[in-house]
Amino acid sequence: MQDYQAPADLLKGRIIVVTGAGAGLGRAAAKAYAEHGATVILIGRTQSKLESCYDEIVAAGHPEPIIVVMDFATAPEGDYANLRDRLEETFGHLDGILVNASVLGERKSIEQTNTKSWMDLMQINVNSVFLLSKYLLGLCKLSPNDTSVILTSSSVGRKGRAYWGAYAVSKFATEGMMQVMADELENTSNIRVNSLNPGATNTEMRRTAYPAENPSSNPKPEEKMNAYLYLMGPDSIGINGQAYNA
Ligand SMILES: NC(=O)c1ccc[n+]([C@@H]2O[C@H](COP(=O)([O-])OP(=O)(O)OC[C@H]3O[C@@H](n4cnc5c(N)ncnc54)[C@H](OP(=O)(O)O)[C@@H]3O)[C@@H](O)[C@H]2O)c1
């Protein structure tokens, strides 16, 4: 998968949602999907970051994306329903969803973790994934194409590690959600659901988690995009319920 070479028109005409599209891996994925022909729905909490991603995609001559400002920490359920209605009205269906937005939260032992910060992280990293799936899977079912849902995981969501607290537990939940949805949708729809652990990547989150590390010792987000393209495009048809590393 790391060596995958995506054809230039891999995602031509496809409509793909990317959460956390303003920075880091989500931004790189949104740009890579647009470069390969997709119309991308850029979702995130900071309008200026989404606008600069939008500007770069348009300046490169790729399909014009749309911006949806949404803070998963505070968005009520009605906002997810409105998002579905807006996307259905504009596009009629979806061909893919990259669930990417997450926060790192406190790096403390379970005993020392502040209860509110635990709950806040779960709202962003877990509950929003449920709400996005609940409201947007129906639009994937309306697609005339194969569709792919990618949930972003982490190595600490596959084997627990001390002091990774709520973040690690949220990624275990992400893996669980991936398995449940993949099993529910197997044989009954055109939708495949997989998880992807990008591995150490030079982003704001990584720099915060490892302040003593030389940031440039890790690959840039753009260097991880082969896996993101492979799992989103039709070359991964038939792969469902799998946990991948980029
Ligand atoms: N980087 C790594 O080494 C690494 C390793 C394993 C897994 N991952 C996973 O990869 C994914 C991307 O991480 P990253 O490293 O690219 O992190 P990042 O640079 O911190 O980017 C996270 C993105 O999520 C958005 N976001 C955070 N909270 C949000 C909220 N409440 N509502 C809406 N959007 C929100 C951020 O928006 P703002 O920019 O506006 O804050 C940002 O665009 C995450 O799921 C992370 O767990 C990363």
Side-chain angles (χ1 to χ4, degrees), residues 17-20 41-44 68 70-72 75-77 79-84 87 94 96-102 123-140 149-152 177 181:
V17 163
V18 177
T19 72
I41 295 116
L42 308 169
I43 302 184
V68 177
M70 200 164 165
D71 185 341
F72 296 131
E77 184 167 358
D79 286 5
Y80 294 82
N82 290 340
L83 173 67
R84 179 206 48 214
L87 295 179
L94 287 176
I97 307 172
L98 171 63
V99 179
N100 163 83
S102 276
Q123 187 62 28
I124 297 167
N125 290 14
V126 179
N127 296 342
S128 82
V129 183
F130 157 69
L131 288 163
L132 282 166
S133 306
K134 177 178 166 72
Y135 285 97
L136 299 189
L137 280 178
L139 293 183
C140 293
V149 177
I150 304 172
L151 305 188
T152 309
M177 212 150 4
M181 285 199 285

Side-chain angles (χ1 to χ4, degrees), residues 20 22-25 44-46 49 70-73 100-103 124 152-154 167 171 197-201 203-206:
L25 287 148
R45 64 181 166 184
T46 310
K49 292 183 183 179
M70 200 164 165
D71 185 341
F72 296 131
N100 163 83
S102 276
V103 289
I124 297 167
T152 309
S153 187
S154 168
Y167 177 80
K171 294 299 182 179
N197 165 26
T201 312
T203 66
E204 188 62 41
M205 184 183 285
R206 177 75 192 188

